[in-house]
Amino acid sequence: ALKGAGAERPDDRTLNPIVKDLADNKVAEAAKAQEAAAQQLDGAAQKLTGSHGAESPADRAAQTAADAEAGAQQLSKEIKDAQANHNPPTRPSDPANQGARTLAEQIRQAAQELSQSGSAEARRDAADAAKAADAARTAANQGKAQEAQQAAQTAAQRLAAAAKAAGGNAAPAGDS
């Protein structure tokens, strides 16, 4: 596993002197050698973590897109409920507008991360997602919750397309 991740285990020439220095009561030398070995092991651990189990930007974007689509659907329901109660979300401080702004920020962040990797198609879709997220944020800041929700929905769909183009695997919405 170490070699596959491009990491190396400290060799015996590094580890054996630690034991000898301790036996000879050379604690300072043993501590220095132990620190060097620990740093080498930490580096190996980071390489292993980076190559196994860590999500790729595309996978994170796919998850964000799935969560954002579910969030946009929930926002739509909240907006309809507020309108039915004769309390449409027309202020930027209304919960629906705050929710749309939060969704837009999450999508924008994932799109920016994804735009730095992946294919040209993935980068283009990520740029489209970022633009739609900006439109959602602008609408939410103007108190236009329904417009913000629709733009957030579009942004989430564009982010999902970007993640798919970059090879991401979408998880079911709500599984974070």
Side-chain angles (χ1 to χ4, degrees):
L2 287 173
K3 288 181 183 178
E8 295 180 16
R9 134 193 207 306
D11 66 12
D12 291 337
R13 292 177 302 208
T14 305
L15 298 176
N16 288 341
I18 297 171
V19 176
K20 185 176 183 316
D21 287 342
L22 287 172
D24 293 342
N25 206 21
K26 296 179 183 175
V27 177
E29 289 87 353
K32 283 183 184 178
Q34 185 274 333
E35 181 63 30
Q39 287 178 353
Q40 192 173 3
L41 286 170
D42 285 343
Q46 287 177 346
K47 287 182 180 181
L48 280 172
T49 303
S51 65
H52 299 293
E55 286 184 311
S56 71
D59 288 342
R60 285 191 298 274
Q63 182 62 52
T64 299
D67 292 346
E69 286 191 58
Q73 290 173 354
Q74 179 62 32
L75 269 178
S76 178
K77 182 183 179 312
E78 290 174 15
I79 292 166
K80 287 177 185 174
D81 290 347
Q83 289 171 336
N85 292 329
H86 305 289
N87 188 21
T90 57
R91 295 178 306 276
S93 60
D94 285 334
N97 285 312
Q98 290 176 346
R101 214 173 7 261
T102 299
L103 277 178
E105 289 167 8
Q106 291 169 348
I107 294 167
R108 179 108 171 86
Q109 185 176 26
Q112 282 180 327
E113 182 181 357
L114 195 56
S115 70
Q116 297 171 4
S117 63
S119 67
E121 179 184 2
R123 289 192 302 271
R124 186 176 53 253
D125 287 343
D128 290 346
K131 286 177 190 173
D134 287 344
R137 187 178 61 222
T138 299
N141 286 338
Q142 295 172 348
K144 300 176 181 175
Q146 195 156 14
E147 184 179 321
Q149 181 275 331
Q150 291 168 349
Q153 182 78 38
T154 299
Q157 292 167 349
R158 297 310 309 155
L159 183 61
K164 184 176 180 183
N169 297 311
D175 289 355
S176 11

